[in-house]
Amino acid sequence: MTVETTEHAGSAFGRQGRAAVLRGLGTYLPPRLVTNEELSRTLDTSDEWIRTRTGIRQRYWAEQGTATGDLAFEAGARALKSAGVDAVDAVVLATSTPDHPCPGTAPDVAARLGLGTVPAFDIAAVCAGFVYALASGASMIVSGLAARVLVIGAETYSTILDPADRNTSVIFGDGAGAVVLEAGSPDDPGALLDFDLGSDGGHKDLITVPAGGSRQRSEGPESDPSRFFFTMQGKQVFTHAVTRMGASSAALLDRLGWDPASVDRFVGHQANVRILHALSDHLGIDRDRAVVNLDQVGNTSAASIPLALAHGVDTGGIKAGERVLMTAFGGGLTWGSTAMVWPEINVV
Ligand code: UT7
């Protein structure tokens, strides 16, 4: 399918002398570990089905009373520590499970982090949210609007899952990851080199939480609670995930002039290991170059990419000087890709 673009499309990103450079990375997972075995006690599923169809072995779910903002705060604090800074010019928070429909979660997180009155806003691009948030934060830096931005991806999908729906409840986990971006040069390791972003609202119903917004008004306390649960047409989403992330990654690599074989680490949205394998094969990147942590954390939506990056660094799979390609896909539909040469940073 051809994606329509304006005559100005293509990207001048990274060719402007000023770049957004990764300076810090921090993550947080809530303490409650939920195994496949635990889920198979209440759902008609099995550890074997979940492992073989998705690659997921376990995930973490927030306790009652813990919200997305709490996870975002923890990850944000760790990212600031990782970068060795205590002030930023803006906070961008990607989430599709905000603390409230209104106000956004980012201002509260910024205040709790002691970041003063900096601009702070949420991005709702579902599982592609972190790449969109990176693009927003990086654009603020490249344009000169900010010199340092905290970008967070945080989710508590456990709060919107239908506990009786085996199609979704076994897939998603909670968590948060955050990065500090700082103004630098496009030649610096850690510079975000370019972005490829896209959406297709024609398939908005494939992933949805029907109620809670203006399309389905609240009917008061008697309203059907199931309308607030997350739904996903898994099979169709699977196909779109491979197609969209594949095309987006290929477009980005082409613009960067990177041969797929020169990509050292491939960090794809952690939804299903079969998607990651299909993408690797499609792009011509060895499967063993794909960072995989979905077995440990499940699909954490907007937190997926930073959690996978941290896992890659912690396990020695991502090293300074390596070419890292990131790509994500989610409800909307939305998708996005970016890339960098990995910098020397301490993950917290
Ligand atoms: O993060 C945003 C992007 N999300 C994704 O990329 C997710 C993409 N989709 C997927 O990863 C996969 O489609 C799923 C993991 C969600 C589902 O796997 P699938 O191989 O596509 O399964 P399916 O939906 O086609 O279902 C196959 C069978 C069905 O049974 P019948 O109709 O063949 O009898 C399902 O009812 O598997 C059944 N099934 C399950 N069985 C045991 C579905 N979920 C489960 C389950 N345990 N948890």
Side-chain angles (χ1 to χ4, degrees):
M1 180 187 174
T2 308
V3 176
E4 298 292 329
T5 53
T6 68
E7 61 182 290
H8 305 295
S11 179
F13 207 89
R15 292 199 287 278
Q16 301 171 9
R18 182 172 157 110
V21 179
L22 181 69
R23 296 289 189 214
L25 169 61
T27 61
Y28 180 75
L29 291 165
R32 188 177 162 229
L33 175 68
V34 180
T35 62
N36 292 349
E37 203 273 320
E38 177 180 340
L39 292 180
S40 50
R41 275 183 240 142
T42 50
L43 283 167
D44 181 16
T45 189
S46 65
D47 172 54
E48 210 245 330
W49 191 96
I50 303 169
R51 264 190 301 105
T52 54
R53 299 312 294 164
T54 70
I56 297 166
R57 292 171 179 273
Q58 60 177 47
R59 74 289 292 142
Y60 295 84
W61 282 356
E63 297 287 356
Q64 188 81 19
T66 299
T68 294
D70 302 323
L71 308 190
F73 166 78
E74 297 290 348
R78 291 172 189 206
L80 294 171
K81 190 171 173 206
S82 161
V85 300
D86 58 10
V88 297
D89 301 315
V91 176
V92 186
L93 168 58
T95 188
S96 45
T97 49
D99 289 7
H100 315 277
C102 168
T105 304
D108 182 42
V109 172
R112 288 169 65 189
L113 287 168
L115 297 173
T117 56
V118 296
F121 58 97
D122 293 3
I123 295 236
V126 198
C127 299
F130 190 74
V131 177
Y132 270 66
L134 278 181
S136 302
S139 299
M140 293 177 86
I141 289 174
V142 168
S143 68
L145 199 55
R148 189 188 292 145
V149 179
L150 177 64
V151 176
I152 309 173
E155 302 279 16
T156 48
Y157 262 60
S158 64
T159 62
I160 57 169
L161 292 172
D162 177 351
D165 181 8
R166 67 179 183 175
N167 291 299
T168 53
S169 273
V170 305
I171 312 271
F172 290 90
D174 302 339
V179 297
V180 172
L181 301 178
E182 227 169 56
S185 147
D187 298 328
D188 290 342
L192 287 160
L193 298 173
D194 207 338
F195 287 91
D196 180 85
L197 304 171
S199 78
D200 182 356
H203 296 286
K204 66 180 188 299
D205 294 333
L206 293 181
I207 293 176
T208 181
V209 176
S214 56
R215 186 64 67 189
Q216 288 195 18
R217 292 181 181 218
S218 168
E219 288 153 17
E222 74 283 0
S223 70
D224 174 6
S226 71
R227 296 188 300 126
F228 295 86
F229 286 138
F230 175 88
T231 68
M232 178 172 74
Q233 308 302 317
K235 230 179 190 31
Q236 293 174 69
V237 170
F238 188 107
T239 308
H240 279 287
V242 176
T243 313
R244 305 306 194 164
M245 283 192 280
S248 176
S249 300
L252 184 75
L253 291 177
D254 190 47
R255 281 215 297 275
L256 293 174
W258 284 12
D259 191 300
S262 75
V263 172
D264 297 301
R265 297 295 157 198
F266 174 50
V267 181
H269 171 49
Q270 304 286 308
N272 189 318
V273 75
R274 292 186 291 129
I275 293 177
L276 295 177
H277 286 163
L279 271 176
S280 302
D281 297 350
H282 169 80
L283 290 167
I285 299 172
D286 285 351
R287 283 186 181 188
D288 61 8
R289 296 192 177 186
V291 172
V292 179
N293 73 329
L294 58 85
D295 56 323
Q296 303 292 310
V297 299
N299 181 343
T300 57
S301 190
S304 170
I305 296 287
L307 283 170
L309 288 171
H311 175 84
V313 175
D314 286 347
T315 56
I318 300 178
K319 292 185 273 304
E322 289 188 330
R323 286 183 165 187
V324 178
L325 169 67
M326 292 156 259
T327 188
F329 166 87
L333 304 172
T334 53
W335 57 88
S337 308
T338 188
M340 69 171 63
V341 174
W342 195 253
E344 199 78 61
I345 55 167
N346 292 320
V347 177
V348 179

